[in-house]
Amino acid sequence: MTSIAKDPKSNGKTPNFLLINNFLDVYKLEPFKQGKYPRSISKNNNNTCPSWSIINTVIEMKKAAAAELVFIPAPGMGHLVSTVEMAKQLIGRDHRLSITVLIMKTPFDKLKVISTTQSLLLKAAEDRLKFVHLAQDDGAAVAELRSKSPSYFMWEFVNMNKQHVRDHVTKMMNSTGSSPLAGFVVDMFCTPMMEVAAEFGLPTYAFFTSSCAFLGFLLHLDTLTRDRNRDVTELKDSDAELEVPGFVNPVPAKALPAIVLHKEGGSSFMLDVAKRLRETKGIMVNTFEELESYAVKRLADDDMVPPIYTVGPVLYPVKDENEEEEEEVIQIMRWLDDQPPSSVVFLCFGSMGSFDGEQVGEIAHALEQSKHRFLWSVRQPPPKGKVAMPSEYQDLNQVLPEGFLERTAGIGKVIGWAPQVAVLSHKAVGGFVSHCGWNSTLESLWCGVPMATWPIYAEQQMNAFQLIRELGLAVDIKFDYRRDMRYDSTKPKLVTANVIENGIRKLMENGGKSHTEEIKQNVKEMSEKSKIAIKEGGSSYNSIQHFIEDVILNVHSP
């Protein structure tokens, strides 16, 4: 590359602007030209041209030529899928970056999950994106962990993998010809790995796979405990409401995640997560500014919060047309092909979502009474008290009401695992009864499919509240439903067929100036905004670029 010469007319003070533009074009640093400087660089007084110190910084950045990030996702498909897609976007945006994803395998992954994971990784792998399956500890140690409380299990499981991460990073740093390490990018449940990063003198960034509003809640939880000496677990089973930065409306206690109300370890676990998130170099959030403008602004205005990068929606892609599909997926899509546009209500409750037989019966009666076409994913719960993934029923008749499959054969289809993004993308689907996991929420909005909220576990109740009250993007079935046996042993109240049917009818009704029509219009507009956000010049596109710039500058800053 030809070096940049000073403009002779500038008296040695300012470089030739045309040459700067050419330089920045070559090195794909368009944001510099637009005046969008990384936070760590101050713009000079001349608003039309960068100073020599900035140009020299850029040159030094380029001299390094490359940098590598180490991603550590939490176990579980929802976390892994979005992490892999985020990594693909980053390396696709800047040729200087390479990424190694370190994968911790849990002892209770189902064969279907393992197969899907392997397929995902095989498709994503390339020269600058590598996947490393960390060694597993002996079965006895893991078995002992499984007998502990769920929060203890996750925390200790991540801690058990510290040495495996340490060993692999050491190998990476000693490898000849490898790129300099730029830092760790950890899931919120993997923040203990920050200690390993610090041992190597590396910064840690977070990739937050939930909403910006929930991030604001977690950080507020830390503030309430540290500065105001307030114990949030006292709100359990109360009708109280909590003022939370990132939410316009007070959040009812019944919408708070069971884990933060859990006195036996869950609450302290999340408090530690919040504390560590504050200590990161920056947080990428799988959302987009147009969706959560209020929450994003509240966090951006808080000096106690690290830089926030809204990088979403980061979604699991629909299968390539040339990719071979499994027979069960082919059958599902063929069935949808035979249905009228926007006529099918899709019921799916996530990779960990399942109901007992009594509740399944109520859903079946609701669907039959509603007369709406439906596609319903039914999963078998794990044995009581066991931390495990739901599984497939060998015979659906053992859980469904007698004769249900025969009576609804003309309007419905009951399945096990569902190819969710493909289904939501199909023109026949007009509504989504969802557990409101954040990945599912983003997928539904991207596809322009309105939701009926039926959260089950984790932060899903807060997501449902946000969708209904804050954003006007969903109708409600039971936003405060909770079936999280890991942190709340209380048997959930049965949601009756009448309540479910009413929610489905509201979701699927058409015409007029009803509240549902307003929601459908809101969803349609948000779908369009989600697509604009990731295009060149969009809010998330620019935010990803800012993240890349900050990573590179942090690597090569003194």
Side-chain angles (χ1 to χ4, degrees):
M1 174 70 190
T2 305
S3 61
I4 297 177
K6 291 183 181 179
D7 183 350
K9 296 180 181 179
S10 68
N11 297 319
K13 294 180 180 178
T14 309
N16 181 295
F17 193 59
L18 178 61
L19 289 177
I20 293 171
N21 269 322
N22 290 338
F23 174 80
L24 298 180
D25 279 338
V26 169
Y27 289 118
K28 298 182 180 180
L29 292 169
E30 181 68 23
F32 275 84
K33 290 169 59 181
Q34 296 175 2
K36 297 173 182 174
Y37 295 83
R39 297 156 209 252
S40 50
I41 294 181
S42 299
K43 194 173 181 182
N44 71 342
N45 293 327
N46 179 355
N47 288 326
T48 61
C49 182
S51 68
W52 264 113
S53 62
I54 292 174
I55 296 301
N56 287 333
T57 302
V58 176
I59 294 170
E60 289 305 313
M61 284 163 50
K62 185 56 194 173
K63 282 180 181 176
E68 183 160 11
L69 289 167
V70 176
F71 272 55
I72 308 178
M77 275 299 290
H79 294 265
L80 181 60
V81 164
S82 53
T83 298
V84 170
E85 291 304 314
M86 187 70 251
K88 285 165 60 179
Q89 286 194 36
L90 288 173
I91 63 168
R93 286 286 296 277
D94 198 304
H95 66 279
R96 295 169 297 173
L97 284 180
S98 57
I99 293 173
T100 295
V101 182
L102 304 183
I103 298 171
M104 299 176 286
K105 185 177 180 298
T106 66
F108 44 79
D109 283 346
K110 295 289 183 183
L111 289 177
K112 180 72 181 179
V113 173
I114 295 171
S115 172
T116 305
T117 301
Q118 289 173 340
S119 173
L120 169 72
L121 301 185
L122 282 172
K123 285 192 297 181
E126 56 176 272
D127 287 345
R128 291 186 292 118
L129 178 55
K130 297 181 175 63
F131 300 97
V132 175
H133 291 270
L134 297 175
Q136 285 186 277
D137 286 282
D138 65 274
V142 175
E144 183 182 353
L145 271 186
R146 293 184 71 177
S147 67
K148 308 291 184 182
S149 70
S151 55
Y152 181 87
F153 171 83
M154 178 57 73
W155 201 248
E156 287 304 313
F157 179 72
V158 172
N159 279 314
M160 282 174 64
N161 278 275
K162 277 184 178 178
Q163 188 57 48
H164 301 313
V165 170
R166 194 177 285 117
D167 292 344
H168 190 79
V169 173
T170 300
K171 188 186 303 181
M172 291 172 68
M173 296 187 82
N174 292 336
S175 175
T176 56
S178 61
S179 302
L181 288 183
F184 282 20
V185 178
V186 301
D187 186 279
M188 69 171 174
F189 292 123
C190 298
T191 50
M193 293 297 179
M194 293 173 68
E195 297 165 8
V196 180
E199 292 171 15
F200 292 99
L202 297 172
T204 299
Y205 304 88
F207 178 46
F208 197 77
T209 54
S210 297
S211 71
C212 223
F214 182 61
L215 173 59
F217 165 72
L218 275 186
L219 297 176
H220 184 58
L221 194 65
D222 175 53
T223 300
L224 287 176
T225 305
R226 187 186 66 248
D227 298 342
R228 304 180 196 175
N229 198 29
R230 186 169 179 183
D231 184 0
V232 180
T233 63
E234 294 173 357
L235 295 176
K236 185 177 181 180
D237 300 324
S238 79
D239 294 323
E241 293 184 327
L242 193 65
E243 297 287 343
V244 178
F247 286 84
V248 176
N249 300 287
V251 179
K254 57 188 177 182
L256 300 182
I259 188 172
V260 305
L261 302 173
H262 185 249
K263 291 179 180 291
E264 290 75 43
S267 180
S268 58
F269 169 71
M270 294 308 291
L271 281 170
D272 195 86
V273 168
K275 175 179 174 293
R276 290 171 186 256
L277 285 172
R278 286 193 189 276
E279 298 168 357
T280 61
K281 197 77 171 176
I283 305 173
M284 288 188 288
V285 185
N286 188 11
T287 190
F288 53 105
E289 192 172 338
E290 293 78 3
L291 175 61
E292 296 191 273
S293 56
Y294 182 78
V296 171
K297 187 176 187 308
R298 287 298 301 267
L299 288 176
D301 290 344
D302 189 339
D303 293 337
M304 299 296 291
V305 176
I308 300 295
Y309 309 90
T310 54
V311 297
V314 180
L315 305 173
Y316 185 62
V318 180
K319 283 191 174 184
D320 187 277
E321 290 182 3
N322 298 320
E323 188 177 348
E324 188 174 335
E325 290 185 328
E326 298 177 8
E327 181 59 30
E328 60 191 33
V329 175
I330 292 172
Q331 294 301 322
I332 291 168
M333 303 314 290
R334 281 179 180 168
W335 183 85
L336 286 171
D337 289 341
D338 292 335
Q339 311 309 312
S342 301
S343 66
V344 175
V345 57
F346 174 43
L347 299 88
C348 188
F349 300 92
S351 58
M352 293 289 288
S354 60
F355 297 104
D356 62 23
E358 187 179 15
Q359 187 62 75
V360 168
E362 293 296 314
I363 297 172
H365 290 311
L367 288 169
E368 194 168 357
Q369 292 165 17
S370 76
K371 303 291 194 295
H372 281 290
R373 298 172 188 270
F374 66 86
L375 179 66
W376 180 17
S377 172
V378 178
R379 313 293 303 285
Q380 184 170 14
K384 189 174 181 179
K386 184 178 179 182
V387 180
M389 301 281 287
S391 56
E392 307 298 322
Y393 281 104
Q394 295 302 310
D395 180 8
L396 286 167
N397 286 304
Q398 71 184 83
V399 68
L400 294 170
E402 185 177 353
F404 172 79
L405 291 174
E406 291 75 17
R407 292 191 301 272
T408 59
I411 62 167
K413 185 174 182 63
V414 182
I415 59 175
W417 174 85
Q420 185 166 286
V421 179
V423 170
L424 289 171
S425 301
H426 199 285
K427 66 181 186 300
V429 176
F432 182 26
V433 177
S434 172
H435 66 306
C436 303
W438 192 243
N439 283 347
S440 295
T441 297
L442 292 176
E443 289 165 2
S444 196
L445 291 175
W446 175 270
C447 297
V449 179
M451 283 171 282
T453 64
W454 192 342
I456 301 176
Y457 54 92
E459 90 288 12
Q460 293 162 11
Q461 290 79 17
M462 291 191 81
N463 293 344
F465 176 79
Q466 183 183 16
L467 288 166
I468 299 164
R469 289 289 306 278
E470 301 277 305
L471 305 177
L473 295 171
V475 302
D476 185 32
I477 289 180
K478 188 67 174 169
F479 88 87
D480 57 349
Y481 181 87
R482 194 189 307 279
R483 188 176 188 274
D484 196 341
M485 298 306 179
R486 299 168 300 174
Y487 303 106
D488 190 345
S489 58
T490 307
K491 181 178 172 62
K493 292 181 180 179
L494 189 72
V495 184
T496 64
N498 287 340
V499 171
I500 302 165
E501 180 191 354
N502 183 51
I504 290 173
R505 289 189 182 277
K506 282 193 296 183
L507 177 65
M508 300 301 288
E509 68 182 4
N510 292 304
K513 295 183 179 180
S514 66
H515 179 56
T516 301
E517 282 304 308
E518 182 182 340
I519 288 172
K520 288 182 178 180
Q521 184 60 34
N522 291 344
V523 170
K524 181 180 178 182
E525 292 173 2
M526 196 57 70
S527 175
E528 293 168 357
K529 290 177 180 178
S530 71
K531 294 173 174 63
I532 293 171
I534 63 171
K535 289 182 179 178
E536 186 169 358
S539 59
S540 294
Y541 184 95
N542 291 338
S543 192
I544 291 172
Q545 187 63 42
H546 294 159
F547 173 76
I548 293 171
E549 291 165 5
D550 287 351
V551 165
I552 298 294
L553 286 168
N554 285 331
V555 171
H556 305 299
S557 60

